[in-house]
């Protein structure tokens, strides 16, 4: 348990102790007296002695410099601090600036692609409209009114005459076998069309009869198709042409040449 020791000293002795304590770096006289007692008794460690010596040397040097006017407190350089702060802020902002620039570039690219798609869609619409105008049949001529006797004879002749299979094929352009499934002898039907000049193709196990004129027009349009997109092709072809095109593509008889960006037929069908 620590003990307290009280000393009564003359003023001159106290002032001497106070001066020495100050030189030794002790803030209080009591700390200095305690230090002296422990040192004399050999109870003061080496570490504390060195620490006291260092503190004393530093204190004396500071007092010496302050007394000679060599110790000055330099105010901070505001411009340097501002410059360092500006660089630090710029380093923090730069990554976000790069991201914003990247997003701006991507947005500009997306807008450019949208504009290109709009131009392409407009071109397709114009091509479809032009194709429809070309395929639109001419207006029918006003029929010549026959005489009463001729009219009756004509009705009798019309009722007595039925259109042949090749005539119906010329009107339709193409006939798929599943469309005439009701025929009893489909072999004879397609063979007759072949003999009369129609193209008869075997597409995936189904026979397809194609009128020669229809085929030539169809082939020319397919070879001029400017796209490989199925939806765009559907818009550029008639329903019958698109159905035939789809079946030919499934059978591998027509393909898209990517190097020439055009459709090519594998081979010309054998004449019927």
């Amino acid at each position: 348990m620590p003990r307290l020791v009280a000393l009564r000293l003359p003023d001159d002795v106290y002032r001497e102790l106070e001066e020495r304590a100050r030189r030794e770096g002790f803030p209080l006289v009591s700390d200095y007296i305690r230090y002296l007692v422990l040192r004399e008794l050999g109870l003061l460690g080496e570490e504390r002695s060195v620490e006291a010596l260092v503190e004393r040397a530093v204190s004396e040097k500071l007092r010496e410099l302050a007394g000679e006017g060599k110790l000055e407190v330099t105010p901070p350089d505001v411009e340097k601090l501002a410059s360092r702060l500006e660089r630090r802020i710029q380093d923090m902002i730069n990554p976000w600036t790069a991201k914003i620039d990247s997003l701006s570039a991507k947005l500009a690219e997306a807008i450019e692609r949208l504009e290109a798609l709009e131009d392409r869609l407009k071109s397709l619409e114009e091509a479809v409209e032009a194709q429809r105008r070309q395929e639109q049949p001419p207006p029918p001529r006003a029929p010549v009114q026959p005489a009463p006797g001729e009219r009756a004879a004509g009705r009798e002749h019309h009722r007595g005459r039925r259109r042949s299979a090749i005539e119906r094929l010329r009107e339709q352009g193409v006939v798929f076998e599943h469309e005439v499934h009701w025929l009893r002898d489909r072999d004879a039907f397609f063979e007759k069309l072949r003999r009369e000049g129609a193209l008869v193709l075997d597409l995936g196990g189904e026979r397809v009869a194609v009128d020669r004129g229809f085929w030539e027009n169809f082939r020319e349009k397919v070879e001029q198709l400017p796209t490989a997109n199925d939806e765009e092709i559907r818009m550029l072809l008639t329903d019958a042409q698109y159905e035939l095109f789809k079946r030919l593509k499934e059978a591998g008889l027509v393909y898209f040449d990517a190097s020439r960006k055009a459709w090519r037929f594998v081979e010309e069908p054998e004449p019927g």
Side-chain angles (χ1 to χ4, degrees):
M1 179 178 179
R3 301 286 184 174
L4 296 178
V5 177
L7 296 176
R8 187 181 298 275
L9 300 173
D11 290 341
D12 56 342
V13 175
Y14 183 82
R15 284 194 295 272
E16 179 65 23
L17 288 173
E18 187 177 30
E19 179 63 23
R20 290 189 180 186
R22 184 178 60 80
R23 288 199 304 267
E24 294 288 341
F26 290 93
L28 300 176
V29 175
S30 58
D31 291 338
Y32 179 61
I33 293 173
R34 180 176 178 275
Y35 163 72
L36 293 175
V37 172
L38 293 176
R39 187 183 65 181
E40 292 299 325
L41 295 176
L43 300 177
L44 188 64
E46 184 67 23
E47 181 180 353
R48 182 65 184 92
S49 300
V50 174
E51 181 181 350
L53 291 174
V54 172
E55 289 180 358
R56 184 175 62 184
V58 172
S59 298
E60 290 178 354
K61 189 63 177 178
L62 289 175
R63 283 195 299 271
E64 180 182 347
L65 292 174
E68 296 176 359
K70 296 180 179 180
L71 185 63
E72 296 180 0
V73 179
T74 305
D77 191 333
V78 178
E79 293 184 359
K80 289 184 178 180
L81 288 176
S83 178
R84 291 180 60 186
L85 182 60
E86 182 179 355
R87 287 197 300 270
R88 182 66 62 85
I89 294 174
Q90 192 66 34
D91 292 341
M92 295 173 63
I93 293 176
N94 281 339
W96 295 101
T97 303
K99 290 181 180 180
I100 292 173
D101 292 341
S102 176
L103 288 174
S104 299
K106 290 180 179 179
L107 180 60
E109 183 181 357
I111 293 174
E112 185 177 352
R113 290 186 177 182
L114 284 175
E115 292 176 349
L117 287 174
E118 288 179 357
D119 294 340
R120 186 174 182 182
L121 180 59
K122 184 177 180 181
S123 300
L124 285 173
E125 290 175 349
E126 293 175 353
V128 170
E129 184 62 27
Q131 186 67 31
R132 287 176 179 172
R133 286 197 298 268
Q134 290 178 1
E135 295 178 354
Q136 186 175 4
R141 293 179 298 176
V144 178
Q145 296 294 333
E150 294 177 351
R151 187 181 305 166
R155 284 199 299 268
E156 291 296 329
H157 177 73
H158 181 72
R159 282 198 298 266
R161 181 181 179 278
R162 297 177 59 185
R163 291 180 302 167
S164 65
I166 193 67
E167 288 175 337
R168 289 196 298 271
L169 178 62
R170 290 194 185 106
E171 292 179 1
Q172 295 180 220
V174 59
V175 174
F176 295 90
E177 187 171 2
H178 69 269
E179 295 175 343
V180 292
H181 63 89
W182 45 269
L183 288 176
R184 293 182 180 179
D185 192 352
R186 292 192 293 275
D187 293 340
F189 173 77
F190 283 100
E191 184 59 33
K192 182 179 180 181
L193 290 176
R194 188 194 305 274
R195 288 197 307 270
E196 294 181 358
L199 287 174
V200 178
L201 310 175
D202 187 353
L203 302 179
E206 180 182 18
R207 285 171 291 190
V208 181
V210 187
D211 176 66
R212 286 285 182 175
F214 180 91
W215 173 261
E216 294 299 330
N217 179 262
F218 165 77
R219 183 186 180 101
E220 182 179 355
K221 287 182 65 175
V222 169
E223 290 178 341
Q224 294 178 357
L225 287 173
T227 177
N229 184 276
D230 192 67
E231 291 300 323
E232 295 176 359
I233 293 173
R234 184 192 292 269
M235 295 172 61
L236 295 172
L237 299 178
T238 64
D239 292 342
Q241 289 173 342
Y242 177 74
E243 185 64 25
L244 178 58
F245 168 80
K246 185 173 66 173
R247 299 299 299 277
L248 287 170
K249 186 174 69 170
E250 291 172 354
L253 297 179
V254 64
Y255 67 96
F256 186 73
D257 188 343
S259 61
R260 298 184 179 182
K261 295 184 179 180
W263 287 92
R264 294 286 182 263
F265 286 80
V266 174
E267 60 183 7
E268 180 72 24
E270 295 294 331

